[in-house]
């Protein structure tokens, strides 16, 4: 079984005012323990407080504090009182011995020192201490940490999580119908079973996690540093699977299952006590709901997790089934009254034929990495469709949204080049929309990628400008072609003075840096008029065109004058 204790080397403290005796003792035990030496009683207490010795070898006769007094002081300090005190003395009188035992000493080593004998005494006490420590912190049947050790570890993990704004999970696992096995097969079978369960569970943990048996058929798993509920849910699922694979014992096969309740810090509780109570409540509910399952304490977590699982499963299937579609929304030069480009916007038609908004699935796609194949699909489709439009005589640009996750992929540039090649679209007709967040982190890499895109001839737009990291420095530092004014400012610019001021400021900034400006979400002629007045002429919004499937964009384009 995995060794779950953190067991540092035992510590021995030698206290003797005779340097030679101290030296001899030290040499005789240096391979058994970490050894510290003090040459007076006062120093001994200082060293003891610092190193918490398991065994103290204590000379009785010393100037200043004598050995008895040191022993008394050690025994009255709760942090040091566990140490095994062995007196080292040249006296052999019974009253000395009685006195020493009375102070809490447990053994004697006779001077002059007989090294093998001294060593054997010390070794015996180190072994005893180790065993006592193990028993105090571990469950005798399974050897797993017990409630006390778990509590200690959990407090540490909580402290860390608080400091790092991290998350941890407490899983309370109770075997289903275990009592029936115990009653019908006898306790020795039951005990064997618990040991098996402990072994199986131990192999599933990371080094930083703790598995503990609380007594009976109840186990607790402490997962420190977890990223999300998803990961915790997946872990619980794996635990259930592992427990449900049959056990064989003395030629018989047994099937077990368990119910798990999960409490999460900080979402459910912010202290250990309530975390435990919540995990317990969730476990009880899992039993009620039919056993062999796990439940999170918080219904919010539970339902969002299930929804996410479902969504992720559907999304994977959707990629394979090809049910993603690319819609297009025209971008219009409002002054010249012509279409200059279009934005590709992904759509997902679910089983019932309804369109799912990208806002509902892109974040999860980013988290799960599914955005990589999805984004590649959109880019390829958009390039192919645009090429087709060119063949039909509509020579317009296409903008494609690129997620941070895609942009940071090592293969990103290669992917863009490959798609341009495969679709036959010349790079100057492609614009990639990234958000400010892409530029805020990993600046050097971002710059390198953008330079490479520029060299290729691909244009880059900052999408939703004004909503992200408002460091404007990057506008100068990065090779950017277009600013898209976020629709939230456009929406309220006629009623909200500060939004109008922001729009004005963005337009001025764009003009000063010679960037093209695009206003998003233009819905009314008044907004368009105001934008034109401010100096922004390229617009995108329902006023001109809603996002439509490729076949309809041709119709839209044919209703607008063509570029000269
Ligand atoms: P976005 O890139 O800012 O796209 C503009 C969004 O505004 C689109 O929402 C569009 O339908 C909507 N819109 C356009 N005109 C108007 C208007 O006049 N009024 C209002 N209220 N809305 C308007 P959509 O298609 O739901 O997309 C939402 C976001 O999802 C996009 O915001 C983009 O960030 C993301 N997205 C869409 N397609 C993709 C994709 O292929 N890849 C990635 N990574 N993200 C995508
Ligand atoms: Mg966009
Ligand atoms: Mg936008």
């Amino acid at each position: 079984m995995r060794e779950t204790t953190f067991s540092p080397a035992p510590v021995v403290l030698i206290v003797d005012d005779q340097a030679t005796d101290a030296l001899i003792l030290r040499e005789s035990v240096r391979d058994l323990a970490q050894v510290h030496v003090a040459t007076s009683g006062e120093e001994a207490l200082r060293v003891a407080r610092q190193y918490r010795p398991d065994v103290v070898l204590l000379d009785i006769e010393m100037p200043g504090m004598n050995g008895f007094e040191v022993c008394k002081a050690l025994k009255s300090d709760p942090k040091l009182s566990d140490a095994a005190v062995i007196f080292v003395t040249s006296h052999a009188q019974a009253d000395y011995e009685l006195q020493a035992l009375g102070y809490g000493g447990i053994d004697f080593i006779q001077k002059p020192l007989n090294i093998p004998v001294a060593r054997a005494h010390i070794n015996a006490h180190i072994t005893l201490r180790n065993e006592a420590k193990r028993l105090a912190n571990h469950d005798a049947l399974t050897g797993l940490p017990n409630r006390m050790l778990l509590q200690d570890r959990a407090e540490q993990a909580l402290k860390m999580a608080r400091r790092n704004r991290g998350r941890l999970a407490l899983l309370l696992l109770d075997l289903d119908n275990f009592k029936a096995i115990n009653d019908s097969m006898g306790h020795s079978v039951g005990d064997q079973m618990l040991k098996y369960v402990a072994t199986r569970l131990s192999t599933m943990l990371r080094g930083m996690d703790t598995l503990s048996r609380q007594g009976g058929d109840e186990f607790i798993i402490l997962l420190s540093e977890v990223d999300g509920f998803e990961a915790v849910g997946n872990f619980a699922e794996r635990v259930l699977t592992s427990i449900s694979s049959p056990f064989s014992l003395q030629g018989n096969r047994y099937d077990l299952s368990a119910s798990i309740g999960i409490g999460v810090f900080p979402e459910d509780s912010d202290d250990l006590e309530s975390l435990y109570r919540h995990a317990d409540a969730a476990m009880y509910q899992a039993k009620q709901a039919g056993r062999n399952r796990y439940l999170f304490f918080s219904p919010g977590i539970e339902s969002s997790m299930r929804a996410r699982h479902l969504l992720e499963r559907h999304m994977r299937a959707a990629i394979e089934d090809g049910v993603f579609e690319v819609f297009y929304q025209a971008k219009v030069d409002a002054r010249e009254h012509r279409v200059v480009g279009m934005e590709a916007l992904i759509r997902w038609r679910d089983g019932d034929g309804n369109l799912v908004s990208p806002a509902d699935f892109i974040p999860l796609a980013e988290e799960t990495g599914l955005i990589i194949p999805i984004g590649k699909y959109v880019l390829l489709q958009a390039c192919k469709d645009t090429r087709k439009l060119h063949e039909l005589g509509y020579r317009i640009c296409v903008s494609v949204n690129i997620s941070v996750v895609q942009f940071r992929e090592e293969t990103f540039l290669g992917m863009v080049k490959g798609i341009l090649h495969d679709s036959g679209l010349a790079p100057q007709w492609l614009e990639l929309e990234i958000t400010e967040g892409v530029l805020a982190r990993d600046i050097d890499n971002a710059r390198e990628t953008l330079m490479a895109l520029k060299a290729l001839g691909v244009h880059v737009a900052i999408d939703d400008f004004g909503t992200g990291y408002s460091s404007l420095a990057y506008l100068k530092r990065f090779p950017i072609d277009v600013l898209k004014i976020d629709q939230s400012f456009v929406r309220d610019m006629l009623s909200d003075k500060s939004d109008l001021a922001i729009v004005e400021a963005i337009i001025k900034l764009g003009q000063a840096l010679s960037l093209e400006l695009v206003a998003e979400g233009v819905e009314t002629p008044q907004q368009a008029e105001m934008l034109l007045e401010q100096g922004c002429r390229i617009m995108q919004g329902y006023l001109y065109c809603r996002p439509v499937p490729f076949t309809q964009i041709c119709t839209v384009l044919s209703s607008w004058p063509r570029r000269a």
Side-chain angles (χ1 to χ4, degrees):
M1 194 182 301
R2 200 174 74 100
E3 175 54 44
T4 42
T5 27
F6 169 59
S7 51
V11 177
V12 171
L13 169 60
I14 298 169
V15 189
D16 204 317
D17 61 322
Q18 304 282 320
T20 41
D21 283 348
L23 206 69
I24 293 171
L25 278 171
R26 176 192 208 141
E27 284 311 305
S28 64
V29 294
R30 69 178 325 155
D31 60 324
L32 299 179
Q34 184 194 113
V35 187
H36 299 276
V37 175
T39 52
S40 71
E42 292 79 3
E43 189 191 357
L45 292 179
R46 258 199 322 277
V47 175
R49 280 187 207 108
Q50 187 176 354
Y51 295 105
R52 305 270 183 95
D54 294 291
V55 175
V56 180
L57 304 176
L58 196 50
D59 184 19
I60 296 178
E61 285 178 337
M62 293 184 290
M65 244 181 146
N66 71 27
F68 294 144
E69 288 167 316
V70 174
C71 185
K72 201 169 141 196
L74 288 173
K75 292 295 156 187
S76 62
D77 183 334
K79 289 195 174 132
L80 305 174
S81 60
D82 284 350
V85 176
I86 307 175
F87 285 103
V88 184
T89 173
S90 46
H91 293 278
Q93 296 101 319
D95 61 327
Y96 248 87
E97 219 163 287
L98 282 176
Q99 211 177 337
L101 292 171
Y103 280 114
I106 53 169
D107 198 3
F108 293 90
I109 295 176
Q110 206 61 45
K111 281 189 188 177
L113 292 166
N114 175 327
I115 301 284
V117 173
R119 189 179 150 84
H121 275 259
I122 298 164
N123 199 15
H125 287 292
I126 288 176
T127 310
L128 273 174
R129 273 284 294 162
N130 279 346
E131 186 58 13
K133 274 204 277 191
R134 202 186 61 76
L135 283 177
N137 285 323
H138 290 80
D139 164 47
L141 177 67
T142 59
L144 293 177
N146 63 13
R147 186 183 285 264
M148 253 167 54
L149 185 51
L150 174 77
Q151 173 135 4
D152 195 52
R153 299 233 180 118
E155 294 288 3
Q156 297 295 332
L158 266 178
K159 225 186 267 171
M160 279 270 282
R162 277 196 200 104
R163 191 173 326 130
N164 306 335
R165 295 175 190 284
R167 187 179 275 143
L168 62 86
L170 199 72
L171 285 76
L172 204 146
L173 178 151
D174 193 284
L175 298 175
D176 297 329
N177 305 318
F178 187 70
K179 193 171 173 309
I181 294 186
N182 242 349
D183 291 349
S184 59
M185 307 307 298
H187 284 254
S188 70
V189 171
D191 283 356
Q192 259 326 308
M193 204 71 100
L194 290 173
K195 283 199 211 171
Y196 272 150
V197 170
T199 310
R200 279 197 189 169
L201 294 181
S202 314
T203 57
M204 303 181 69
L205 300 188
R206 305 165 299 171
M208 64 183 82
D209 303 325
T210 301
L211 166 65
S212 127
R213 176 167 172 248
Q214 299 295 292
D217 57 347
E218 189 179 297
F219 294 85
I220 289 188
I221 300 169
L222 169 74
L223 299 179
S224 1
E225 296 175 36
V226 294
D227 291 335
F229 310 125
E230 190 91 7
V232 179
N234 288 341
F235 175 78
E237 192 80 55
R238 287 208 310 281
V239 167
L240 291 177
T241 310
S242 159
I243 289 190
S244 64
S245 76
F247 290 83
S248 83
L249 212 100
Q250 295 158 358
N252 294 320
R253 172 194 154 129
Y254 298 91
D255 291 291
L256 273 184
S257 69
S259 302
I260 301 176
I262 306 173
V264 179
F265 169 89
E267 279 79 2
D268 289 342
S269 336
D270 56 7
D271 66 276
L272 199 56
E273 199 45 47
S274 51
L275 204 56
Y276 178 82
R277 251 188 305 111
H278 290 165
D280 192 47
M283 194 273 290
Y284 184 73
Q285 273 190 16
K287 293 258 186 212
Q288 296 285 309
R291 297 155 199 252
N292 191 25
R293 68 195 62 213
Y294 69 88
L295 274 183
F296 281 90
F297 169 73
S298 144
I301 297 178
E302 188 63 35
S303 62
S304 79
M305 261 252 327
R306 301 250 176 253
R308 282 161 56 92
H309 259 307
L310 209 66
L311 184 59
E312 188 187 339
R313 258 219 311 279
H314 283 184
M315 203 153 47
R316 279 185 200 280
I319 298 174
E320 279 155 26
D321 298 349
V323 295
F324 283 118
E325 290 173 41
V326 182
F327 276 35
Y328 297 96
Q329 184 179 32
K331 272 193 308 191
V332 171
D333 182 327
R335 183 161 295 155
E336 294 182 10
H337 205 68
R338 63 182 176 86
V339 175
V340 292
M342 60 184 186
E343 177 171 2
L345 293 161
I346 190 165
R347 293 293 177 267
W348 175 9
R349 210 173 279 286
D350 71 8
D352 306 326
N354 302 316
L355 287 177
V356 185
S357 156
D360 291 334
F361 66 86
I362 294 282
L364 181 59
E366 289 179 330
E367 247 175 77
T368 51
L370 290 174
I371 192 68
I372 304 291
I374 294 175
K376 188 171 172 187
Y377 160 77
V378 174
L379 187 62
L380 180 61
Q381 195 59 44
C383 288
K384 279 191 194 162
D385 286 345
T386 309
R387 176 78 208 272
K388 247 184 247 163
L389 288 181
H390 287 190
E391 282 162 10
L392 292 172
Y394 303 109
R395 300 189 55 85
I396 61 170
C397 273
V398 68
S399 309
V400 179
N401 293 285
I402 299 294
S403 141
V404 171
V405 178
Q406 282 175 281
F407 190 85
R408 296 212 181 113
E409 273 280 289
E410 241 172 69
T411 52
F412 176 67
L413 261 181
M415 192 265 302
V416 174
K417 283 184 199 162
I419 283 179
L420 284 171
H421 176 264
D422 293 349
S423 63
L425 184 72
Q428 72 266 27
W429 299 107
L430 175 63
E431 180 171 289
L432 300 182
E433 296 192 3
I434 56 176
T435 51
E436 292 163 271
V438 169
L439 308 179
R441 264 177 40 194
D442 210 358
I443 292 171
D444 292 340
N445 277 334
R447 212 180 114 80
E448 209 173 289
T449 307
L450 289 176
M451 296 298 263
L453 287 172
K454 175 138 200 120
L456 212 60
V458 171
H459 290 193
V460 173
I462 306 289
D463 204 355
D464 307 338
F465 186 73
T467 59
Y469 302 81
S470 15
S471 156
L472 298 178
Y474 59 70
L475 288 182
K476 235 179 76 183
R477 303 239 308 273
F478 293 109
I480 289 159
D481 307 285
V482 182
L483 289 188
K484 295 189 81 175
I485 306 168
D486 189 62
Q487 48 180 284
S488 61
F489 305 125
V490 174
R491 190 194 316 124
D492 299 327
M493 62 188 277
L494 296 178
S495 56
D496 185 326
K497 279 214 177 69
S498 52
D499 280 345
L500 180 61
I502 292 173
V503 171
E504 282 175 19
I506 295 175
I507 293 174
K508 289 227 170 69
L509 187 72
Q511 287 169 338
L513 296 169
S514 307
L515 299 176
E516 183 179 301
L517 287 155
V518 178
E520 291 188 278
V522 181
E523 293 186 356
T524 68
Q526 291 79 11
Q527 290 167 339
E529 221 165 278
M530 178 63 99
L531 285 160
L532 270 176
E533 219 171 88
Q534 300 291 334
C536 173
R537 52 197 259 186
I538 301 183
M539 310 197 186
Q540 190 181 338
Y542 295 168
L543 176 63
Y544 304 100
C545 171
R546 286 192 172 250
V548 292
F550 180 66
T551 46
Q552 283 180 40
I553 197 77
C554 296
T555 321
V556 170
L557 290 175
S558 65
S559 67
W560 288 79
R562 300 202 184 186
R563 183 173 255 192

